[in-house]
Amino acid sequence: MTRRLSVLGLLRAAVIVGALLWTLGPILVAAVTSVSTQSEITASPAVWFPHHPTLRAYRALLPTGAGGGGAGSEAHQFGSAMLTSLVVSLETTAVTLVLSILAGYAFARLDFRGRKVVFVAVVSTLVLPVFALVVPLFRIMATLQLINTNPGLVLIYVSAIAPLGVWMFYSYVKDVPVGPQEAALVDGCTRFQALVKIVLPQMRPGIAALTTIVFLASWSQFLIPLLFAQSPSLKPVTVLITEFVGKYNTDYALIAAAGLIALLPPALLALSQSRQIRGMLSGGDL
Amino acid sequence: MVGDPGKNGGGGRRVRRRRLREQTTLGWAFSSPVLLIIGVLVLYPLIRGLLMSFQSLDLSSGGDGSFVGLRNYSAVLRDPQTEAAALHTLGYVGCAVVIEIVAGLMVALALNRPFRGRGLVFAALILPWALPRVVSGVLWSRIFNPDSGLLNSALIQLHLTHTNHAWFDNPYAAIFLISLVHVWGVLPLTTLILLAGLQGIPANIYAAAELDGAGAVRQFRTMTLPLLRPALGIALTTGTIAAFAIFDEIYVLAGSAYSTRSVMTQVYLTTFSGGDFGQGSALAYLLTLATAVFGIAYVRRLGRAAP
Amino acid sequence: MSKSLTKRNPLTVAAVAATALLAAACGGTSTTASTAAPTFGAPAKGEQITVVLPSYAKIPADMLTQFEQQSGVKVTLSLDSWDNIRTRIVTANAAGQAIGDVTEFDWSWTGQFGSPTLYTPLDNAISPAMTADLQNTKTFSKGGHMMAVCYSNDARIGMYNKTKFAAAGITAPPATFDELTADLAKLKVSGASVNPLTLTASATEGATTEWYLLSMMMGGNLFDAALRPQFSDPASAGYKALAFEVEAMRKGWASPSATTANDQEADALFLGGRSAVQLAGHPGESQTANDPTQSKVAGQTAYFLEPGTAGPGKTFGLPEGLGIPARSTHKAAAAAFIRWILQPEVQAELLSKVGLLPCRASAVHALVAGGKIAGGPVIEQQLAHLTPLFPNGAPTWYAKFSTDASALINSAAKGEMTVAQAIAKMSDRARQLGNG
C-alpha cells in the first residue's frame, strides 16, 4: 500500500514538473527575447542567450524609464492599456459571476416551466463563433450608442462568457447536497438567503476556478475590443501590443516584454484564487 | 433528478402550488439578467447574421443585400477549399481535444491534492491563456523558424539532426504542430474546468470508500470518473468549440497556406479579406452547426451535464 | 511619368502651384472636376476629425498641433496595426458605419474599397498641380476617380551585400536577370553565402508582392487592360517568375525558411548576414541595415536597381494612401488634412520623423538633392521605373485573387504542385473572378 502510494506520488510529481516545463518553456523564450537585441533574436543559427542583455524594452514600457511617461509616449499608452484591461476584466468578472450564479442556481434548483429550453438555449450560444456575429452586433451597439464605451465592452464580454459560467454553476449547484438548503428554507430563510448562506460557501473552490476563468477570458479578448473600443483610452493591452508590429521591422523584444508584463495581473489573480482550492481530506484521488 | 426540491418537497397540494409559483417567479427573476444580455447581444445578432448568410453582401461586387436564397451556401460548399479545410479542422480537433483532455485530467488530478507551492504552480499553469496572442505568435515563430528557430538549433546541438527542418512544409507535421501550439493556449481552461469539477466531489465519499478498502485506481474508476462526468462534458465541449474555431495559430505559423487552412481560416479570408459577409456568414453557420453536433453528442453521452 | 515630371521646367511647376494655392485659399472648389467627384469647402473652425493610420505611420503630436493651428481642425489619431485597420473598415462598413474621417488606404485596397459608396472621390480635394506632382495616382484610381492620395511612397528596390559579393569575386551588383542568376550561383558555390537570395514564398501577402515584382522585373504585365491574366504562357514573365522562385528553392539559393517566413522574417536573413541579395528591399532599409543593434551587416550593403531582362527592370510600388470614407461627416476638414500632408515641409518632416518617403516627385527630388535620404540617388532612379500592377486600377476582386495566389505560390515552393499546375490554377481563379 505505501509503496503504491509513493509510485502515485512520483507520478504526480512528474505530471507537475512536465506541465511546468511545457507551460513555462515558451514563457522563458519570451523572457530571453525581451532582453535580447533585434539582431540576436533574428540571428541564424539561433542565439539562445543574449551576450549583452538589455532592459531597453522594459524601460520603454515603464513610466520610470528613459522612455518617459508623458502623454502619447509608449509607456503612457501601455500603462493606460494595462489599466483598461484590468478594469474591464474585473467588471466583467464581477458581473458574470453574479449573473451566472443566479441563473445557474435557478436552472439547477428552481422548478419553473421553460427552464430546460432556456438553459439549453443559453449554453448553446457557446458554439457561435464571434466572426459570425460581429456585423449585426456592430449595428446593435451603434444603435444603442454603446460603441467606444466601457459598459458596451463589458456587456459584450459578459454575453460571450456568461454561458460557460451558467453551465459551470449549474453543474456545481447540482453537486451541492440539497439537505441543508431545504432545512434552511424550512427554517424560514428566503431562497436568496439560502443561496447566499448555504449554497455559495459550499461552492467556494468552484467559484475560485470560475473567477479565474472569467477573468482570463476577458483579459485575452482581442477581436471584440478591436472593433468596439476604438478610442485610445479604451484600448486593452491585447490590442495595443499588435501596434508594435511594424511594416518592415517589428521590435520583438518590446512585444515580448509587453506580453510578460501583461501576465502579471492574471497571475496575481490566479494566485489569490488558488487559496480557495481546498485540499482533499483523504487520499482517495489519484 | 433527485435534487429537485419541487418533487420531494412535502406538504399538501396548496403548499406545493404556492412553492411552484414562487419558484417560477424566482426562476425567471434569477435568470432574466443573463437572458436579457444573451438575447440582445447574441440571439438577436444570431438571427440577423443568419439572414446575412442568405443575402448578397459582397463588398467587392457591390453586394446590395438582396436575398439570394441558398446561393452563398452552395458557393461555399462547392469551393474545393471548404472540403479540404473541413478535413484539416477535423485533424486539429482530433489532435487538440485528445491531448487537452488527457493532459488536462492528469494536471487537474495532480493539482487536486495539496502540496507546498501549489498556489504558485496553479498561477504558473494559467499563464499561456493570459499571454496576448501576438506575443505567443512571436514566440512560436521564434521556436519553429527554420533558420533562426530554437527548435532546429536544439535538435542540431543534441545531434538529433544536422540540417534545418522547415517544419510546416509537411502538411501532417504542420497540422500536428499547430495543434500543439493550440493546446498550449487552451490547456489552462481545460485544467481549470476539470479541477473545479474535482473540487466539487464531496470528500466524504472517498472516506467511505477507503473504509471499504477500495484502492486508488478503483476509487478513480468507480467514483472520481463518474462524478467528474459533467465537468468532463463541459471541458470536452469547450475544448471542441475552441478547436473547431482554430485560426490564429494557423495564420501566424503557416499563413493562409492551402495545406493547413481550417474552416475558420476560410471564414476569415472570405469575410475580412475578401469582404464577402454573405458567404462568410454562411460558412460560419455551417461551422457552428458542425460544432453543435459534437457538443450535443458529448452532453448526451456524458449525461447529467444538462437537465 | 515621374521622369518627365522631374525634367519639367521648374518655373511652370511653380506657376501652376501658385495658381493651385490661390484656388485652395478660395475654398478649393475650383478646378476641372470629373463629373461625379464632390468638391470640398473650407473646414469649420474647431472641427474635429479622426485619422486612422497604421502604427508605423504615427504622426508626432507636435506636427498635428501645427496643423490645428493652421486650419483650426483638431485631429484625433487612431492607430492600429495595418492588418487590423482593414478588419475594422470592413466590419464597420458592413454595419453602415465609418471608423474615421481620414483612413489608411493601401494600394491593394483600391479595387475593393475604391467605390464612391465606400470612399469619397478625391479628384477635387487637391489641386491639379499637386496631383500632377504626385506619384502613384494611377494605383489609387478607380472608375476614373482618384480614391486616395498617396502619403507613403513605398516601393521595392534591390539591396545587396557588397562584402559577400566581393568574397564571391563579383565586383558589381547584377544589372540584368541573367547576371542575377549567375551571381546567385557564384555566391552559393563560392560559399560566400549558403542561401544568397532572400525570398518570401510563404502564404502571405509578401509572397504575392514578391511574385509581382519578379514578373515586372522580367518585363511583363500580369494582367491586360481587360484584366485578363497574362501569365499562363510558359514564355510569359509571370510564369517565368514563379519558375525562378521554385528554381531558387530547389537550388538552395533561397533558404528553406522561405516557405514559412513572412517578409520581415525573410528580411532578417539579409540583415543578419545570411543572404546576399534582397530584391524586395525598400526605401529606409539602408538605415536599418546600418544600425548595428538591428543588423549584422552595417556598412556592407548598398541599394541597386532591380535587374531586368536587359538593363534596369521595372519595379513595383506598394504606396499607402489616405482616403475619406463616404460616411464621414467632416469631409472638408478631412480634405484639409490631406492637403496639409502634401505640403513640401510636412513631407520632409514626415521623412525625418516617421521615415515615410514622400509621394510628391518634387519633394523626393529636393530631399535627394539635399542628401536627406540614405541611398537617395538610387532610390530616385528606381522610382522612375515604378509601374502600377494594374494600369487601370486594381479590380474589385484583387483581395480574393491575392489570397489564392499566395497560397498557390506557397504550394509550388513547397513542391506540393508544379509551376504549371500552380499557374493554371492561378489563371483559372483570375478568369473566374473576372467573370464575376
Side-chain angles (χ1 to χ4, degrees):
Chain A
M1 184 76 189
T2 11
R3 237 184 71 207
R4 205 173 59 199
L5 272 181
S6 71
V7 169
L8 283 178
L10 273 178
L11 208 76
R12 237 190 320 265
V15 167
I16 296 284
V17 171
L20 282 176
L21 284 176
W22 163 253
T23 302
L24 296 181
I27 305 268
L28 210 64
V29 172
V32 172
T33 304
S34 71
V35 294
S36 303
T37 61
Q38 187 78 351
S39 69
E40 282 169 331
I41 295 166
T42 56
S44 156
V47 175
W48 282 77
F49 296 101
H51 302 299
H52 306 286
T54 163
L55 291 175
R56 175 195 58 88
Y58 293 93
R59 263 185 240 119
L61 291 169
L62 299 175
T64 47
S73 72
E74 227 140 50
H76 177 81
Q77 287 175 349
F78 186 71
S80 141
M82 286 287 287
L83 193 66
T84 302
S85 283
L86 191 64
V87 168
V88 172
S89 300
L90 286 174
E91 288 170 339
T92 306
T93 309
V95 175
T96 308
L97 279 178
V98 171
L99 299 193
S100 307
I101 288 171
L102 287 174
Y105 177 81
F107 293 135
R109 280 278 177 269
L110 299 174
D111 195 14
F112 60 101
R113 208 202 284 250
R115 69 166 178 160
K116 280 186 195 179
V117 178
V118 174
F119 173 75
V120 171
V122 168
V123 171
S124 319
T125 60
L126 278 176
V127 301
L128 286 168
V130 64
F131 284 172
L133 301 177
V134 285
V135 171
L137 195 55
F138 208 105
R139 285 223 174 100
I140 295 166
M141 297 302 279
T143 313
L144 300 173
Q145 305 213 323
L146 284 174
I147 288 178
N148 256 338
T149 64
N150 168 300
L153 208 53
V154 172
L155 280 175
I156 305 182
Y157 285 12
V158 171
S159 77
I161 305 168
L164 179 62
V166 170
W167 196 7
M168 289 186 72
F169 270 118
Y170 169 86
S171 152
Y172 299 150
V173 174
K174 285 260 165 193
D175 280 338
V176 174
V178 187
Q181 200 201 142
E182 286 294 301
L185 287 176
V186 170
D187 284 353
C189 274
T190 66
R191 280 269 167 190
F192 188 73
Q193 284 169 330
L195 170 63
V196 173
K197 289 190 180 147
I198 312 288
V199 182
L200 283 190
Q202 295 183 67
M203 299 198 306
R204 260 156 72 181
I207 293 174
L210 196 68
T211 306
T212 317
I213 289 176
V214 177
F215 186 87
L216 278 161
S218 331
W219 188 263
S220 57
Q221 289 289 336
F222 175 76
L223 187 65
I224 292 195
L226 172 72
L227 295 174
F228 296 97
Q230 302 169 346
S231 73
S233 59
L234 255 183
K235 195 173 279 191
V237 71
T238 44
V239 177
L240 181 76
I241 297 181
T242 60
E243 286 178 26
F244 299 161
V245 175
K247 187 174 190 183
Y248 290 111
N249 274 297
T250 293
D251 192 340
Y252 297 118
L254 191 68
I255 290 185
L260 287 176
I261 298 173
L263 288 180
L264 288 177
L268 289 175
L269 179 103
L271 199 60
S272 74
Q273 294 303 309
S274 70
R275 291 210 198 107
Q276 301 293 329
I277 297 171
R278 71 186 157 89
M280 296 302 294
L281 297 174
S282 58
D285 58 324
L286 273 185
Chain B
M1 294 269 167
V2 187
D4 261 307
K7 281 170 192 153
N8 55 8
R13 241 166 77 196
R14 218 181 35 203
V15 179
R16 195 139 77 220
R17 216 172 31 225
R18 190 177 56 81
R19 285 190 67 174
L20 258 176
R21 214 172 39 230
E22 179 216 39
Q23 288 193 31
T24 303
T25 320
L26 269 183
W28 286 107
F30 281 6
S31 55
S32 56
V34 163
L35 296 181
L36 184 72
I37 291 179
I38 304 244
V40 175
L41 297 183
V42 182
L43 293 179
Y44 177 70
L46 161 74
I47 293 161
R48 288 294 296 261
L50 260 176
L51 284 180
M52 283 171 58
S53 72
F54 297 105
Q55 282 174 292
S56 159
L57 286 170
D58 189 351
L59 191 64
S60 35
S61 62
D64 51 0
S66 57
F67 282 87
V68 292
L70 291 169
R71 209 194 290 161
N72 290 327
Y73 286 88
S74 68
V76 295
L77 288 174
R78 262 203 323 270
D79 184 348
Q81 292 312 324
T82 307
E83 193 191 329
L87 287 175
H88 301 152
T89 304
L90 289 177
Y92 291 123
V93 172
C95 290
V97 173
V98 169
I99 302 174
E100 270 158 36
I101 292 296
V102 172
L105 190 57
M106 288 189 346
V107 177
L109 285 169
L111 276 180
N112 199 33
R113 251 182 105 87
F115 57 87
R116 273 184 70 182
R118 183 169 72 159
L120 280 174
V121 171
F122 178 80
L125 293 182
I126 58 98
L127 293 181
W129 192 7
L131 199 66
R133 61 172 83 184
V134 216
V135 188
S136 34
V138 165
L139 289 187
W140 291 105
S141 307
R142 235 207 123 182
I143 290 168
F144 287 123
N145 185 303
D147 285 308
S148 55
L150 299 170
L151 184 57
N152 274 329
S153 160
L155 292 177
I156 289 173
Q157 279 171 23
L158 295 169
H159 299 287
L160 292 172
T161 174
H162 55 276
T163 49
N164 280 342
H165 289 280
W167 296 101
F168 298 97
D169 277 6
N170 178 315
Y172 297 101
I175 287 181
F176 180 69
L177 291 174
I178 290 170
S179 301
L180 280 186
V181 171
H182 176 78
V183 169
W184 189 74
V186 174
L187 194 60
L189 174 62
T190 315
T191 309
L192 278 169
I193 293 173
L194 293 175
L195 179 63
L198 287 172
Q199 295 271 310
I201 298 176
N204 48 13
I205 66 158
Y206 289 110
E210 210 117 290
L211 283 178
D212 287 351
V217 176
R218 216 180 92 206
Q219 286 184 30
F220 175 74
R221 280 222 348 253
T222 58
M223 297 163 64
T224 311
L225 215 47
L227 285 168
L228 201 58
R229 277 165 76 127
L232 271 173
I234 299 177
L236 261 172
T237 311
T238 49
T240 307
I241 290 170
F244 263 108
I246 186 168
F247 164 67
D248 285 314
E249 298 88 341
I250 305 172
Y251 206 62
V252 166
L253 292 170
S256 50
Y258 282 143
S259 51
T260 47
R261 279 190 194 179
S262 66
V263 177
M264 198 53 105
T265 311
Q266 287 287 104
V267 173
Y268 173 82
L269 292 174
T270 312
T271 312
F272 294 114
S273 180
D276 189 337
F277 279 90
Q279 286 190 18
S281 308
L283 194 56
Y285 283 105
L286 288 174
L287 180 68
T288 308
L289 203 66
T291 317
V293 168
F294 273 72
I296 291 165
Y298 294 144
V299 174
R300 287 217 144 170
R301 269 201 73 79
L302 293 163
R304 220 175 77 85
Chain C
M1 178 194 128
S2 51
K3 203 165 194 174
S4 65
L5 249 177
T6 45
K7 280 181 184 163
R8 191 181 283 175
N9 184 342
L11 273 179
T12 337
V13 176
V16 178
T19 333
L21 274 177
L22 274 175
C26 303
T29 51
S30 64
T31 74
T32 54
S34 42
T35 44
T39 53
F40 301 85
K45 270 269 178 274
E47 225 174 320
Q48 292 202 9
I49 58 171
T50 301
V51 176
V52 183
L53 285 177
S55 46
Y56 52 75
K58 181 182 180 183
I59 302 176
D62 57 320
M63 289 182 71
L64 294 175
T65 313
Q66 279 171 32
F67 170 63
E68 189 182 346
Q69 282 160 2
Q70 277 177 29
S71 63
V73 176
K74 190 167 166 42
V75 173
T76 307
L77 201 55
S78 166
L79 300 173
D80 257 310
S81 79
W82 182 86
D83 263 339
N84 292 341
I85 293 181
R86 203 238 289 268
T87 305
R88 283 180 55 194
I89 293 177
V90 170
T91 311
N93 184 72
Q97 310 283 324
I99 61 168
D101 303 295
V102 176
T103 78
E104 167 81 0
F105 193 108
D106 189 67
W107 71 272
S108 62
W109 300 350
T110 306
Q112 207 171 25
F113 297 160
S115 121
T117 54
L118 295 175
Y119 274 85
T120 315
L122 298 180
D123 310 70
N124 300 326
I126 59 172
S127 69
M130 252 190 209
T131 310
D133 191 24
L134 202 59
Q135 290 180 322
N136 298 307
T137 47
K138 271 190 180 169
T139 303
F140 291 112
S141 291
K142 187 80 198 299
H145 292 301
M146 185 165 71
M147 302 306 298
V149 169
C150 177
Y151 77 93
S152 171
N153 198 355
D154 196 3
R156 293 300 186 225
I157 179 164
M159 260 204 128
Y160 74 111
N161 186 311
K162 292 180 285 187
T163 314
K164 288 189 191 298
F165 268 62
I170 314 168
T171 47
T176 65
F177 219 86
D178 291 337
E179 282 180 41
L180 172 69
T181 47
D183 288 352
L184 289 172
K186 267 190 227 166
L187 285 157
K188 171 101 185 163
V189 171
S190 67
S193 170
V194 186
N195 305 121
L197 179 69
T198 284
L199 183 74
T200 310
S202 57
T204 61
E205 188 76 20
T208 33
T209 49
E210 179 109 45
W211 177 61
Y212 302 151
L213 172 68
L214 287 165
S215 306
M216 286 183 168
M217 284 160 56
M218 293 181 175
N221 281 323
L222 290 173
F223 298 93
D224 66 6
L227 296 170
R228 282 179 301 238
Q230 299 294 298
F231 45 81
S232 319
D233 189 333
S236 68
Y239 193 105
K240 285 195 284 187
L242 186 59
F244 169 78
E245 292 192 45
V246 172
E247 188 191 5
M249 293 297 302
R250 292 238 174 86
K251 292 190 170 157
W253 294 344
S255 152
S257 69
T259 53
T260 43
N262 61 27
D263 42 14
Q264 293 194 13
E265 288 166 319
D267 212 22
L269 292 181
F270 182 76
L271 298 175
R274 287 255 306 180
S275 77
V277 179
Q278 160 65 305
L279 294 170
H282 55 90
E285 180 151 14
S286 171
Q287 207 176 344
T288 315
N290 286 320
D291 173 356
T293 66
Q294 303 199 53
S295 140
K296 288 209 174 127
V297 293
Q300 298 180 13
T301 63
Y303 286 125
F304 72 106
L305 295 179
E306 302 285 14
T309 41
K314 290 190 284 186
T315 189
F316 171 57
L318 301 91
E320 291 173 71
L322 297 173
I324 303 180
R327 291 192 172 89
S328 159
T329 48
H330 302 283
K331 294 202 176 79
F337 178 79
I338 290 177
R339 281 194 295 274
W340 171 75
I341 283 277
L342 292 180
Q343 317 248 319
E345 62 278 8
V346 176
Q347 298 245 297
E349 219 174 332
L350 281 176
L351 176 74
S352 63
K353 289 185 175 163
V354 193
L356 304 173
L357 189 68
C359 294
R360 287 181 70 171
S362 61
V364 174
H365 188 72
L367 289 164
V368 169
K372 295 274 166 47
I373 303 175
V378 189
I379 292 177
E380 199 184 5
Q381 274 181 55
Q382 186 71 76
L383 287 178
H385 296 277
L386 209 56
T387 317
L389 182 61
F390 297 98
N392 299 319
T396 47
W397 42 263
Y398 171 74
K400 292 177 186 170
F401 172 76
S402 161
T403 306
D404 277 300
S406 73
L408 289 165
I409 293 165
N410 181 243
S411 291
K414 287 194 286 198
E416 287 171 359
M417 51 176 88
T418 63
V419 173
Q421 285 168 331
I423 287 283
K425 290 201 175 206
M426 229 188 279
S427 50
D428 281 353
R429 183 71 175 134
R431 269 191 220 102
Q432 178 206 347
L433 287 165
N435 292 334

